[in-house]
Amino acid sequence: MANHKSTIQLTVELDENRVPENLHWTAEDGGITNEEAKAMMLSVWDSKAQESLRIDLWTKDMPVDEMKVFFHQTLVAMSDTFKRATQDEKMTATMKDFCDYFAEKLELNKK
């Protein structure tokens, strides 16, 4: 039995066409209360179906240049998580190489 329950809350405000206008999130255990976000990616593993379920949202005013940085940082974080979860150094290095390539092609390091 779990000793503690933690809740993460996502609030999405949609326009008349169901396009996200505002995203807010709360994670009280992390000290976050109703913070604004411009984009989010959530992945959940469905063990029964052996598949990943995803929710990817971004507000209509999310700038494309910020979306590119968001993707790059997400890929880097996924590489770090992969290493912690699997201890696979070789594939982690390959993933990091791709992250460097991604940043180079989008010219993210020139800012």
Side-chain angles (χ1 to χ4, degrees), residues 10-12 15 18 23-24 34 48 60 65-66 68 71 83 87 89 91 103 105 108 110:
L10 303 169
T11 304
V12 182
D15 69 8
R18 300 187 56 81
L23 298 172
H24 290 86
N34 202 34
K48 291 178 196 162
K60 54 185 163 185
D65 60 330
E66 287 184 25
K68 291 175 181 180
F71 261 83
K83 181 180 179 186
Q87 302 303 310
E89 300 276 347
M91 185 52 69
K105 289 299 179 185
L108 297 180
K110 294 187 179 188

Side-chain angles (χ1 to χ4, degrees), residues 50-63:
Q50 293 287 294
E51 66 183 5
S52 179
L53 308 173
R54 295 187 7 242
I55 299 171
D56 301 326
L57 296 173
W58 57 93
T59 60
K60 54 185 163 185
D61 65 341
M62 173 72 168

Side-chain angles (χ1 to χ4, degrees), residues 4-17:
H4 180 76
K5 188 183 270 189
S6 183
T7 300
I8 299 171
Q9 181 181 6
L10 303 169
T11 304
V12 182
E13 296 176 27
L14 306 172
D15 69 8
E16 64 279 354
N17 296 315

Side-chain angles (χ1 to χ4, degrees), residues 53-93:
L53 308 173
R54 295 187 7 242
I55 299 171
D56 301 326
L57 296 173
W58 57 93
T59 60
K60 54 185 163 185
D61 65 341
M62 173 72 168
V64 172
D65 60 330
E66 287 184 25
M67 182 61 90
K68 291 175 181 180
V69 173
F70 175 58
F71 261 83
H72 178 256
Q73 290 180 4
T74 300
L75 291 169
V76 170
M78 287 175 65
S79 299
D80 294 338
T81 302
F82 181 82
K83 181 180 179 186
R84 282 195 319 273
T86 67
Q87 302 303 310
D88 187 330
E89 300 276 347
K90 188 174 180 182
M91 185 52 69
T92 298

Side-chain angles (χ1 to χ4, degrees), residues 31-49:
I32 306 296
T33 303
N34 202 34
E35 286 291 322
E36 182 181 13
K38 293 291 182 189
M40 63 163 274
M41 294 182 197
L42 174 66
S43 295
V44 178
W45 179 248
D46 181 337
S47 188
K48 291 178 196 162

